[in-house]
């Protein structure tokens, strides 16, 4: 038996892809191990979204090069593969900067990983596979199967769409993940059924631009929207919660809004990145929404699902961002009151239009704005969490807490909930009375069923 260790950086799609790489390697005799020291093959599944994420990869490769040299002396070779978005964007640079790397493989080519590994084992040579194939990789990767797939826990990711055609001026994703492709409906439903059989209760549909899903219909011509897909997934027994991420505001359509109204299994929490609250910055970013359109969209979503909680992403210090632009972003946070938000300092990415714009903001200024934005974001997250205290809501128990006898679950709004409860509740959805809301979590106790309010599980 050979062993592989996969280190995953970055987004949820990388988490999903790492599991699929493990699945692709299994038929070739590889089992997954938790430590690089025990592995014959180490795969770094990398992230290129910001400079820091990419640089982490090179420092890890430095450590692995030492391990590889030491292992060669002991006669137990170590193969190193770099996958993911850094591989796609910097394949040649990796070859130059990290000669100990054996394989560089882009996100669209994972089905070819076993072949490249076999070649590297034979020849000890260097394999590079970073083309965007004409067909979709969804047609090549083995189907997820309940007996052998890497399925971990009660909540699972399911990629339904990959790539992005939006080309926001700051973003590398269209270059690293390629053009938008959607998985055929039949494949998605089949995978969801397998997950349900394996005990998964909650599915998060993934895509860089997931709400522009248009997967081939199961029969006949045409394709399905994300809203229609969600409504059909909701019919699968065992799948009790559905989420999706990440959405592009301008692509939210009527079907999706209707799904939020009509599908109780669709959770009332939506990650809808706005990036900035200033119209001139949004225009310079190439986003296809302005501030007013974002507010209108939030109103329409909340009209469909009044308890919908929103999350968002923000970039501070985009080139040309004035103090007034930044104030507009803070104002947007104050008005919408996000349940959760991720904020980042603008990081110039090679090859993207924004990197060569004038008016780049200094690191000090970016850090200072980030800190100010985070004060507003943290404040609203705390208010949101505190507001759920006193309510009873269904919680999906996922894992043990730090303390003995404690479990951690998720509320419908993605809040981690700490409850004293027995292990046998892992994988179950139970009503929890929320006792207190803190900055990052809730504390609750399992409620008698008569206390449960009719919020859908
Ligand atoms: N729709 C995508 C979003 C891409 S990246 C997805 O979730 O798959 C996630 C977030 O990273 C973006 O929403 C943006 O806020 C941030 N980001 C992207 N490029 C960035 C850059 N150059 N500098 C700083 N943050 C960036
Ligand atoms: Fe990136 Fe904009 Fe697409 S943020 S992933 S180019 S929608």
């Amino acid at each position: 038996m050979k062993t592989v260790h996969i280190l995953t950086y970055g987004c949820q799609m990388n988490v999903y892809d790492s599991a699929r790489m493990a699945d692709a390697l299994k038929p070739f005799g590889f089992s997954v191990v938790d430590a690089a020291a025990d592995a014959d093959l180490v795969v770094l599944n990398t992230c290129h979204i910001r400079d820091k994420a990419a640089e982490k990869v090179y420092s890890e490769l430095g450590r692995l090069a030492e391990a590889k040299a030491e292992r060669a002396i002991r006669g137990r070779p170590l193969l190193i593969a770099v996958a993911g978005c850094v591989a796609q964007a910097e394949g040649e640079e990796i070859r130059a900067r990290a000669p100990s790397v054996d394989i560089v493989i882009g996100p669209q080519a994972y089905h070819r990983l076993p072949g490249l590994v076999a070649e590297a084992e034979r020849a000890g040579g260097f394999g590079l596979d970073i083309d965007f194939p004409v067909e979709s990789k969804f047609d090549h990767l083995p189907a997820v199967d309940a007996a052998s797939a890497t399925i971990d826990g009660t909540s699972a990711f399911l990629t339904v769409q990959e790539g992005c055609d939006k080309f926001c001026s700051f973003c590398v994703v269209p270059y690293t993940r390629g053009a938008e492709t959607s998985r055929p409906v039949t494949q998605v439903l089949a995978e969801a059924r397998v997950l349900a059989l394996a005990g998964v209760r909650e599915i998060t549909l993934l895509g860089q631009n997931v709400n522009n899903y248009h997967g081939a219909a199961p029969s006949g011509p045409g394709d399905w929207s994300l809203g229609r897909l969600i409504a059909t997934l909701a019919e699968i027994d065992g799948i009790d919660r559905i989420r999706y991420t990440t959405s592009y505001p301008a692509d939210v359509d009527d079907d999706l809004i209707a799904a939020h109204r009509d599908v109780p299994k669709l959770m009332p929490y939506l990650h809808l990145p706005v990036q900035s609250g200033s119209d001139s910055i949004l225009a310079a970013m190439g986003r296809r929404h302005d501030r007013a359109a974002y507010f209108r969209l939030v109103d329409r979503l909340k009209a469909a699902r009044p308890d919908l909680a929103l999350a968002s992403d923000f970039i501070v210090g985009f080139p040309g961002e004035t103090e007034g632009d930044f104030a507009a972003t803070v104002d947007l946070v104050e008005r919408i009151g996000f349940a959760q938000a991720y904020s980042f300092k603008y990081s110039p990415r090679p090859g993207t239009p924004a990197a060569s714009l004038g008016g780049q903001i200094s690191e000090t200024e970016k850090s200072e704005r980030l800190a100010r934005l985070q004060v507003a974001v943290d404040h609203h997250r705390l208010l949101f969490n505190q507001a759920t205290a006193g309510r009873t809501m269904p919680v999906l128990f996922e894992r043990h807490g730090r303390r003995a006898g404690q479990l951690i679950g998720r509320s419908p709004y993605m809040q981690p909930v700490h409850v004293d409860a027995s292990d046998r509740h892992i994988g179950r959805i139970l009503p929890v009375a929320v006792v207190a809301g803190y900055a990052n979590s809730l504390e609750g106790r399992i409620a008698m069923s008569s206390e449960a309010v009719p919020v859908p599980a």
Side-chain angles (χ1 to χ4, degrees), residues 1 3 18 32 57 88 108 131 194 228 262 331 353 397 403:
M1 198 65 166
T3 50
S18 290
V32 174
V57 174
Q88 184 65 45
Q108 301 307 316
D131 288 340
V194 168
R228 184 161 180 198
D262 300 334
D331 178 70
F397 288 101
R403 258 192 308 108

Side-chain angles (χ1 to χ4, degrees), residues 49 164-168 170-174 208-209 248 275 287:
I49 199 78
C164 185
D165 297 338
K166 296 295 185 287
F167 290 92
C168 298
F170 52 82
C171 184
V172 290
V173 170
Q208 270 81 37
N209 198 355
Y248 188 69
Q275 311 299 356
R287 304 285 289 179

